[in-house]
């Protein structure tokens, strides 16, 4: 039961996180594009990334809201967090002087603080996926 | 319905929080500013020629309404016009706030 609550809490956390950051990025789309343009990794594709990232985040968050799609939503969340963590790692190594292109209050974090936050979220989502799978297996055994 | 009601409530709360923080970040900026914007394609951060002066009548709009971006582009505390101080090398390396490289009028 505790594992079920944990997975549920993680799901709610990611719903909040994705809705919050995606809407922040969309509300400040212009500055988001400006900062992304300075990124050596994104550069010319700044506009495309600026619109696609929050869109994917919103779709993922909607997946997490509905029970039928929550498993795929959790998997996509994990993949997104992995991608963001790798991007942060790249920025720390190659362009630490550039600002973070994160949405909302997370932009006030330093790159290293952001990396720690992302790793923690990555571990949480990984555990939630594991618990979901384990719960499913246990339910099958009971049947 | 009950199964996803809490999820929808959390989503609505997130959207509200985002709108609130976004609105709050605007209006904290002065009305005129001269900024030095760094362009990576013009050279390394240690090179003055990699910085382009941008004059704006409304930093809030020019910075896309983002306080944090304006801090990057302009230093609201500095009243003295100056080129970016790059004597310490890359601002990223020295740990300086990037905003210190820019001035405000």
């Amino acid at each position: 039961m505790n594992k079920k609550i944990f997975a549920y809490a993680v799901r709610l956390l990611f719903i909040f996180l994705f809705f919050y950051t995606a809407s922040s990025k969309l509300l400040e789309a212009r500055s988001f594009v400006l900062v992304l343009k300075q990124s050596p990794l994104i550069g010319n594709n700044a506009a495309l990334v600026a619109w696609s990232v929050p869109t994917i985040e919103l779709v993922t968050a909607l997946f997490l809201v509905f029970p039928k799609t929550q498993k795929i939503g959790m998997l996509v969340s994990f993949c997104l967090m992995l991608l963001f963590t790798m991007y942060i790692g790249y920025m720390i190594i190659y362009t630490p002087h550039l600002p973070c292109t994160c949405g909302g209050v997370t932009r006030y974090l330093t790159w290293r603080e952001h990396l720690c936050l992302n790793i923690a979220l990555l571990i949480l989502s990984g555990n939630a996926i594991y618990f979901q799978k384990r719960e499913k297996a246990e339910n099958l055994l009971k049947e | 319905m009950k199964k996803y009601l809490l999820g929808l409530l959390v989503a609505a709360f997130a959207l509200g929080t985002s709108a609130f923080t976004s609105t709050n970040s605007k209006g904290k900026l002065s009305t005129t500013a001269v900024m030095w914007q760094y362009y990576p394609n013009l050279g390394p951060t240690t090179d003055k020629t990699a910085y382009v002066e941008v004059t704006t009548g409304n930093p809030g709009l020019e910075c896309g309404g983002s306080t944090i971006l304006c801090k990057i582009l302009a230093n609201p505390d500095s009243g003295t016009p100056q080129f970016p101080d790059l004597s310490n090398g890359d601002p990223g390396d020295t740990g300086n706030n990037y905003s210190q490289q820019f001035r405000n009028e």
Side-chain angles (χ1 to χ4, degrees), chain A residues 8 11-13 15-17 19-21 23-25 27-28 30-32 34-35 37-39 58 62 65-67 96-99 104-105 107-108, chain B residues 3-4 6-8 10-11 13-15 17-19 21-22 25-26 37-38 40 45 61-69 71-72 90-92 98:
Chain A
Y8 187 66
R11 196 155 57 86
L12 289 177
L13 174 72
I15 289 170
F16 178 84
L17 185 80
F19 266 109
Y20 176 74
T21 53
S23 53
S24 295
K25 283 166 189 161
L27 283 167
E28 294 175 14
R30 198 172 163 220
S31 60
F32 186 44
L34 273 172
V35 180
K37 272 184 184 170
Q38 296 181 51
S39 166
L58 283 176
L62 281 174
V65 169
F66 301 103
H97 58 279
L98 286 182
V105 290
R107 77 181 65 171
Y108 297 103
Chain B
K3 282 185 178 177
Y4 57 81
L6 191 57
L8 285 173
V10 169
F13 178 66
L15 289 173
T17 311
S18 170
T21 52
S22 178
S25 71
K26 293 175 187 174
Q37 186 166 7
Y38 170 62
T45 50
L61 284 176
E62 283 299 315
C63 301
S66 168
T67 307
I68 191 79
L69 189 63
K71 278 181 184 169
I72 294 152
D90 188 327
Y98 207 48

Side-chain angles (χ1 to χ4, degrees), chain A:
Chain A
M1 187 60 184
N2 284 339
K3 286 168 188 172
K4 200 176 177 180
I5 292 169
F6 172 82
Y8 187 66
V10 171
R11 196 155 57 86
L12 289 177
L13 174 72
F14 273 89
I15 289 170
F16 178 84
L17 185 80
F18 285 140
F19 266 109
Y20 176 74
T21 53
S23 53
S24 295
K25 283 166 189 161
L26 292 173
L27 283 167
E28 294 175 14
R30 198 172 163 220
S31 60
F32 186 44
V33 174
L34 273 172
V35 180
L36 278 178
K37 272 184 184 170
Q38 296 181 51
S39 166
L41 207 60
I42 296 163
N44 295 333
N45 301 314
L48 178 75
V49 174
W51 289 105
S52 59
V53 168
T55 306
I56 293 168
E57 284 179 339
L58 283 176
V59 172
T60 309
L62 281 174
F63 275 11
L64 289 168
V65 169
F66 301 103
K68 281 187 180 178
T69 51
Q70 69 185 46
K71 278 174 191 169
I72 185 86
M74 212 62 234
L75 279 171
V76 177
S77 303
F78 181 81
C79 294
L80 274 177
M81 290 317 298
L82 190 65
L83 202 68
F84 293 156
T85 308
M86 283 161 69
Y87 176 73
I88 290 169
Y90 174 88
M91 293 303 279
I92 286 173
I93 295 167
Y94 295 103
T95 53
H97 58 279
L98 286 182
C100 181
T101 49
C102 329
V105 290
T106 52
R107 77 181 65 171
Y108 297 103
L109 299 173
T110 65
W111 282 116
R112 286 180 197 281
E113 285 166 350
H114 211 294
L115 184 71
C116 292
L117 176 71
N118 271 39
I119 289 170
L121 289 168
L122 198 62
I123 292 167
L124 282 176
S125 61
N127 276 324
I129 292 167
Y130 173 73
F131 289 146
Q132 272 180 348
K133 284 193 173 181
R134 208 170 145 178
E135 192 194 337
K136 193 182 173 183
E138 281 171 2
N139 286 342
L140 281 173
L141 278 173
K142 280 178 189 173
E143 286 172 10

